[in-house]
Structure formats: structure tokens, C-alpha cells
Amino acid sequence: MGRIAVERGIGLHVDCCLGGFILPFAKMLRKNNIPDFDFRVPGVSSMSMDTHKYGYALKGASVVLYKSKELRHSQYFCYADW
């Protein structure tokens, strides 16, 4: 999918919400069995992880990571009228 994203000039989002905190450690233990899934894959532009699942954060906490500051900049949003 990364190759297709590069060929078409589009971003590729990787949803690591369930295993995002486990895969890096599993990859260290079994290097040959787990393919690259993160920013090492050409074409990957963003990733998400739910820190409340295996990161032991409060329910509903999530993180979105961007490969560049330019991509992240377009995601800022403020809403003060709660």
C-alpha cells in the first residue's frame, strides 16, 4: 500500500490503535516475522494509536502521529465553547 501511495502522490494512514504499543516490542523479539508498519515504510504519512488500550492511559485517549510538521499543521483545531 505504501508503494501505491507513493506512486499516486497520496498519503497513507496506518491505524495502529489496537497493536500500536505491542508491535514494536514484538518486532524486537521476532524481527523476521513482523513486517515494517510505521514511518519506515515509504508512503506512510500518519499513524494513530489508542493509548487507553495497551498504553494504560485513561479511556478515550488517542494519539495521531504525522511524518512531517506540514501534515500536522493542517490538523490543529480549537473549540473553546464546551
mmCIF file of all heavy atoms in Angstrom, residues 36-57:
data_model
loop_
_atom_site.group_PDB
_atom_site.id
_atom_site.type_symbol
_atom_site.label_atom_id
_atom_site.label_comp_id
_atom_site.label_asym_id
_atom_site.label_seq_id
_atom_site.Cartn_x
_atom_site.Cartn_y
_atom_site.Cartn_z
ATOM 1 N N ASP A 36 7.672 -4.239 8.459
ATOM 2 C CA ASP A 36 7.609 -2.830 8.850
ATOM 3 C C ASP A 36 6.177 -2.338 8.674
ATOM 4 O O ASP A 36 5.479 -2.729 7.735
ATOM 5 C CB ASP A 36 8.552 -1.992 7.996
ATOM 6 C CG ASP A 36 10.016 -2.224 8.355
ATOM 7 O OD1 ASP A 36 10.286 -2.710 9.470
ATOM 8 O OD2 ASP A 36 10.872 -1.911 7.517
ATOM 9 N N PHE A 37 5.740 -1.474 9.575
ATOM 10 C CA PHE A 37 4.356 -0.996 9.558
ATOM 11 C C PHE A 37 4.268 0.501 9.845
ATOM 12 O O PHE A 37 3.192 1.065 9.848
ATOM 13 C CB PHE A 37 3.538 -1.735 10.623
ATOM 14 C CG PHE A 37 4.107 -1.562 12.003
ATOM 15 C CD1 PHE A 37 3.695 -0.522 12.806
ATOM 16 C CD2 PHE A 37 5.070 -2.435 12.478
ATOM 17 C CE1 PHE A 37 4.244 -0.343 14.061
ATOM 18 C CE2 PHE A 37 5.613 -2.267 13.738
ATOM 19 C CZ PHE A 37 5.198 -1.222 14.530
ATOM 20 N N ASP A 38 5.412 1.130 10.069
ATOM 21 C CA ASP A 38 5.416 2.513 10.548
ATOM 22 C C ASP A 38 6.042 3.446 9.509
ATOM 23 O O ASP A 38 5.992 3.180 8.319
ATOM 24 C CB ASP A 38 6.130 2.592 11.894
ATOM 25 C CG ASP A 38 7.507 1.936 11.858
ATOM 26 O OD1 ASP A 38 8.032 1.683 10.751
ATOM 27 O OD2 ASP A 38 8.060 1.676 12.931
ATOM 28 N N PHE A 39 6.632 4.550 9.970
ATOM 29 C CA PHE A 39 7.191 5.548 9.054
ATOM 30 C C PHE A 39 8.399 5.036 8.271
ATOM 31 O O PHE A 39 8.879 5.721 7.366
ATOM 32 C CB PHE A 39 7.556 6.826 9.810
ATOM 33 C CG PHE A 39 6.346 7.551 10.354
ATOM 34 C CD1 PHE A 39 6.258 7.846 11.693
ATOM 35 C CD2 PHE A 39 5.309 7.920 9.520
ATOM 36 C CE1 PHE A 39 5.156 8.519 12.198
ATOM 37 C CE2 PHE A 39 4.202 8.590 10.007
ATOM 38 C CZ PHE A 39 4.123 8.891 11.352
ATOM 39 N N ARG A 40 8.892 3.863 8.570
ATOM 40 C CA ARG A 40 9.969 3.275 7.764
ATOM 41 C C ARG A 40 9.452 2.826 6.407
ATOM 42 O O ARG A 40 10.221 2.643 5.472
ATOM 43 C CB ARG A 40 10.609 2.101 8.497
ATOM 44 C CG ARG A 40 11.425 2.539 9.700
ATOM 45 C CD ARG A 40 11.929 1.367 10.462
ATOM 46 N NE ARG A 40 10.807 0.811 11.218
ATOM 47 C CZ ARG A 40 10.924 -0.050 12.204
ATOM 48 N NH1 ARG A 40 12.113 -0.505 12.542
ATOM 49 N NH2 ARG A 40 9.872 -0.486 12.845
ATOM 50 N N VAL A 41 8.139 2.642 6.296
ATOM 51 C CA VAL A 41 7.538 2.247 5.022
ATOM 52 C C VAL A 41 7.344 3.510 4.176
ATOM 53 O O VAL A 41 6.643 4.434 4.599
ATOM 54 C CB VAL A 41 6.171 1.564 5.244
ATOM 55 C CG1 VAL A 41 5.502 1.243 3.915
ATOM 56 C CG2 VAL A 41 6.332 0.312 6.085
ATOM 57 N N PRO A 42 7.963 3.579 3.004
ATOM 58 C CA PRO A 42 7.759 4.746 2.147
ATOM 59 C C PRO A 42 6.276 4.922 1.829
ATOM 60 O O PRO A 42 5.582 3.966 1.515
ATOM 61 C CB PRO A 42 8.549 4.407 0.879
ATOM 62 C CG PRO A 42 9.569 3.406 1.324
ATOM 63 C CD PRO A 42 8.898 2.619 2.417
ATOM 64 N N GLY A 43 5.793 6.148 1.964
ATOM 65 C CA GLY A 43 4.388 6.436 1.680
ATOM 66 C C GLY A 43 3.541 6.622 2.921
ATOM 67 O O GLY A 43 2.503 7.267 2.874
ATOM 68 N N VAL A 44 3.965 6.056 4.050
ATOM 69 C CA VAL A 44 3.195 6.233 5.288
ATOM 70 C C VAL A 44 3.336 7.682 5.737
ATOM 71 O O VAL A 44 4.440 8.188 5.909
ATOM 72 C CB VAL A 44 3.673 5.268 6.403
ATOM 73 C CG1 VAL A 44 2.995 5.596 7.726
ATOM 74 C CG2 VAL A 44 3.376 3.837 6.017
ATOM 75 N N SER A 45 2.205 8.354 5.906
ATOM 76 C CA SER A 45 2.217 9.768 6.270
ATOM 77 C C SER A 45 1.673 10.035 7.667
ATOM 78 O O SER A 45 1.976 11.055 8.265
ATOM 79 C CB SER A 45 1.435 10.583 5.240
ATOM 80 O OG SER A 45 0.128 10.072 5.111
ATOM 81 N N SER A 46 0.851 9.122 8.193
ATOM 82 C CA SER A 46 0.309 9.307 9.536
ATOM 83 C C SER A 46 -0.007 7.958 10.168
ATOM 84 O O SER A 46 -0.202 6.960 9.471
ATOM 85 C CB SER A 46 -0.951 10.175 9.499
ATOM 86 O OG SER A 46 -1.970 9.552 8.752
ATOM 87 N N MET A 47 -0.039 7.964 11.503
ATOM 88 C CA MET A 47 -0.353 6.761 12.273
ATOM 89 C C MET A 47 -1.201 7.171 13.471
ATOM 90 O O MET A 47 -1.064 8.275 13.983
ATOM 91 C CB MET A 47 0.928 6.090 12.789
ATOM 92 C CG MET A 47 1.851 5.617 11.719
ATOM 93 S SD MET A 47 3.455 5.060 12.353
ATOM 94 C CE MET A 47 3.005 3.976 13.663
ATOM 95 N N SER A 48 -2.054 6.270 13.924
ATOM 96 C CA SER A 48 -2.836 6.540 15.133
ATOM 97 C C SER A 48 -2.677 5.389 16.111
ATOM 98 O O SER A 48 -2.484 4.243 15.712
ATOM 99 C CB SER A 48 -4.307 6.739 14.787
ATOM 100 O OG SER A 48 -4.839 5.584 14.172
ATOM 101 N N MET A 49 -2.721 5.737 17.387
ATOM 102 C CA MET A 49 -2.647 4.751 18.464
ATOM 103 C C MET A 49 -3.610 5.147 19.567
ATOM 104 O O MET A 49 -3.718 6.320 19.900
ATOM 105 C CB MET A 49 -1.241 4.679 19.042
ATOM 106 C CG MET A 49 -0.221 4.105 18.132
ATOM 107 S SD MET A 49 1.334 3.936 19.000
ATOM 108 C CE MET A 49 2.426 4.606 17.795
ATOM 109 N N ASP A 50 -4.304 4.180 20.117
ATOM 110 C CA ASP A 50 -5.155 4.418 21.277
ATOM 111 C C ASP A 50 -4.349 4.108 22.529
ATOM 112 O O ASP A 50 -4.085 2.946 22.831
ATOM 113 C CB ASP A 50 -6.407 3.542 21.232
ATOM 114 C CG ASP A 50 -7.410 4.022 20.213
ATOM 115 O OD1 ASP A 50 -7.251 5.149 19.712
ATOM 116 O OD2 ASP A 50 -8.363 3.281 19.923
ATOM 117 N N THR A 51 -3.962 5.152 23.231
ATOM 118 C CA THR A 51 -3.135 4.962 24.426
ATOM 119 C C THR A 51 -3.914 4.337 25.578
ATOM 120 O O THR A 51 -3.318 3.838 26.515
ATOM 121 C CB THR A 51 -2.532 6.294 24.877
ATOM 122 O OG1 THR A 51 -3.584 7.253 25.027
ATOM 123 C CG2 THR A 51 -1.538 6.817 23.855
ATOM 124 N N HIS A 52 -5.229 4.329 25.493
ATOM 125 C CA HIS A 52 -6.020 3.746 26.583
ATOM 126 C C HIS A 52 -6.094 2.227 26.500
ATOM 127 O O HIS A 52 -6.503 1.581 27.466
ATOM 128 C CB HIS A 52 -7.437 4.345 26.614
ATOM 129 C CG HIS A 52 -8.287 3.977 25.434
ATOM 130 N ND1 HIS A 52 -9.070 2.862 25.409
ATOM 131 C CD2 HIS A 52 -8.454 4.597 24.247
ATOM 132 C CE1 HIS A 52 -9.713 2.795 24.262
ATOM 133 N NE2 HIS A 52 -9.339 3.845 23.525
ATOM 134 N N LYS A 53 -5.695 1.632 25.399
ATOM 135 C CA LYS A 53 -5.794 0.180 25.288
ATOM 136 C C LYS A 53 -4.602 -0.511 25.952
ATOM 137 O O LYS A 53 -4.747 -1.137 26.976
ATOM 138 C CB LYS A 53 -5.949 -0.221 23.825
ATOM 139 C CG LYS A 53 -7.308 0.208 23.289
ATOM 140 C CD LYS A 53 -7.508 -0.158 21.864
ATOM 141 C CE LYS A 53 -8.891 0.300 21.426
ATOM 142 N NZ LYS A 53 -9.011 0.406 20.009
ATOM 143 N N TYR A 54 -3.430 -0.391 25.360
ATOM 144 C CA TYR A 54 -2.258 -1.035 25.953
ATOM 145 C C TYR A 54 -1.256 -0.039 26.488
ATOM 146 O O TYR A 54 -0.216 -0.412 26.996
ATOM 147 C CB TYR A 54 -1.594 -1.967 24.943
ATOM 148 C CG TYR A 54 -2.509 -3.084 24.528
ATOM 149 C CD1 TYR A 54 -3.027 -3.140 23.247
ATOM 150 C CD2 TYR A 54 -2.882 -4.063 25.434
ATOM 151 C CE1 TYR A 54 -3.883 -4.158 22.870
ATOM 152 C CE2 TYR A 54 -3.737 -5.080 25.061
ATOM 153 C CZ TYR A 54 -4.240 -5.125 23.776
ATOM 154 O OH TYR A 54 -5.085 -6.120 23.420
ATOM 155 N N GLY A 55 -1.543 1.246 26.376
ATOM 156 C CA GLY A 55 -0.678 2.290 26.913
ATOM 157 C C GLY A 55 -1.062 2.684 28.322
ATOM 158 O O GLY A 55 -0.426 3.522 28.935
ATOM 159 N N TYR A 56 -2.149 2.073 28.831
ATOM 160 C CA TYR A 56 -2.620 2.289 30.203
ATOM 161 C C TYR A 56 -2.978 3.739 30.500
ATOM 162 O O TYR A 56 -2.812 4.204 31.621
ATOM 163 C CB TYR A 56 -1.610 1.751 31.221
ATOM 164 C CG TYR A 56 -1.403 0.269 31.065
ATOM 165 C CD1 TYR A 56 -0.218 -0.218 30.528
ATOM 166 C CD2 TYR A 56 -2.391 -0.627 31.416
ATOM 167 C CE1 TYR A 56 -0.030 -1.577 30.354
ATOM 168 C CE2 TYR A 56 -2.211 -1.988 31.244
ATOM 169 C CZ TYR A 56 -1.036 -2.452 30.719
ATOM 170 O OH TYR A 56 -0.847 -3.790 30.551
ATOM 171 N N ALA A 57 -3.488 4.450 29.511
ATOM 172 C CA ALA A 57 -3.979 5.816 29.724
ATOM 173 C C ALA A 57 -5.483 5.761 29.995
ATOM 174 O O ALA A 57 -6.106 4.704 29.924
ATOM 175 C CB ALA A 57 -3.698 6.676 28.499
#
